[in-house]
Amino acid sequence: MTNVQIEIPATLVDEKPVSITGCRHHFPLLHERVNGKPLIYLDNAATSQKPQIVIDTVIKYYQTENSNIHRGVHYLSEKATQAYEKARGKVQQFLHAAYREEIIFVRGTTEGINLVAQSYGRQNVKEGDEVLISAMEHHSNIVPWQILCEEKGATLCVIPMNDAGELVLDEYEKLLTARTKIVAITHVSNALGTVNPIKQMIASARKRSIPVLVDGAQAVPHMNVDVQDLECDFYVFSSHKVFGPTGVGVLYGRKRLLEAMPPYQGGGDMIKSVTFEKTVYNDLPYKFEAGTPNISGGIGLGAAIDYVNKLDLKAIGEYEHELLAYATEKLVKVPGVRIIGTAKEKAAVLSFVIEGIHPHDVGTILDAEGIAIRTGHHCAQPVMQRFGVPATARASFAFYNTKEEVDALINGVYKVKEILG
Ligand code: PMP
């Protein structure tokens, strides 16, 4: 990459973005060049780019606030603690959670799911019970449950999907039985883009008093999420996919459930008192936050949430929907292209294969054009098996992408065909 000088305001905290497309200049990396071409970043489902305000917030933390939290009485420790806890409050509002204590900072979606599987799961799933997931889960919402089921002698059951990549809801209803101890489903599929009708699915599970965990990794960057309206029991997401730093994420859990759950990890901060005979655990949310957390990450996530709120997630969703429709319409016209994932409700993901050309070759040729897409199984190998492909090429959008970038992608796909077709 070559460095390009761009003007970025020192701080964008108070700037009210006028339009979504006017926000590109907030993202320094979007102005880089790759292989001599302007970068076209279409790998947002893997991770999103960061606005300057998030970068500035992390720098400012290390320059002016750096200290360990929840421990010191000194000035810096109190300042850092306040900033970190303020970020927790922002997450609470972002998810519309009823209580601050329901927001647990974790490393990311993966750790959030593992926490629930190891804590709630080990406590509540017994031999002969069932854990219900869906056919379109990311590996991080499969493997933790598999580990649990193997340990307990329980069975992992799978809600099937149709050829469009939509869950078969009649089958889901049949799979909800007295043996089902938890349902774990994705809100939006990272490999297909399908938006699942999770509100309806949660309601079905709740009628039978079965708790539901929702993997929101691909949902929170694209739509408003209200955990009270959804009535889910657990909701997890990663900061880095919603324009925040890596290495931090959130587990929302219903207070009543979290209170009854045993700790996931032991260590500092998660205790009230320790003797060699007995440890008294801390209150929520700290009971689940052993050790020094990712302080700068949590504060950076708070800045990312402020940023997204200024843009308005409803407007973001509408804009991205338009972009996806535009891209889909153009891509289906390319001879030999098959789109994987054609659900009626989709968000920001366009997975495809080109007849006779390996997806990795598609990715490599597009990279030479400065276009970053993802190729591979997207940590969803069962999805690839379901559609009979080893891998797909995946373009995934954020609100800072443009129709011109979609045009460049389509031209790139034609070029791939010209070279390899
Ligand atoms: N679930 C989904 C749907 C995802 O897209 C991802 C990231 N690709 C994850 C879970 C895992 O997220 P992380 O690696 O940030 O823990």
Side-chain angles (χ1 to χ4, degrees), residues 45-46 108-111 138 140 186 188 190 215 217-218 238 240-241:
T109 305
T110 303
E111 191 179 40
H138 187 279
S140 64
T186 194
V188 175
N190 68 312
D215 172 352
Q218 297 294 342
S238 300
H240 70 95
K241 293 190 201 275

Side-chain angles (χ1 to χ4, degrees), residues 121-172:
R122 283 173 112 187
Q123 191 180 47
N124 292 284
V125 176
K126 311 261 176 325
E127 195 178 346
D129 286 343
E130 292 176 356
V131 171
L132 184 54
I133 62 169
S134 91
M136 65 174 76
E137 298 309 318
H138 187 279
H139 295 164
S140 64
N141 203 23
I142 302 174
V143 186
W145 303 112
Q146 242 163 7
I147 293 170
L148 174 72
C149 287
E150 270 168 28
E151 184 188 315
K152 294 290 183 170
T155 306
L156 189 67
C157 300
V158 182
I159 310 159
M161 62 180 159
N162 63 22
D163 292 342
E166 293 161 329
L167 295 180
V168 184
L169 296 182
D170 290 347
E171 293 300 319
Y172 170 59

Side-chain angles (χ1 to χ4, degrees), residues 70 85-86 88-89 92 97-104 284-286:
H70 299 147
E85 291 305 326
K86 197 168 164 192
R88 194 190 305 276
Q92 182 199 344
Y99 306 99
R100 225 188 112 260
E101 300 93 301
E102 296 181 322
I103 304 301
I104 315 288
L284 292 175
Y286 313 111

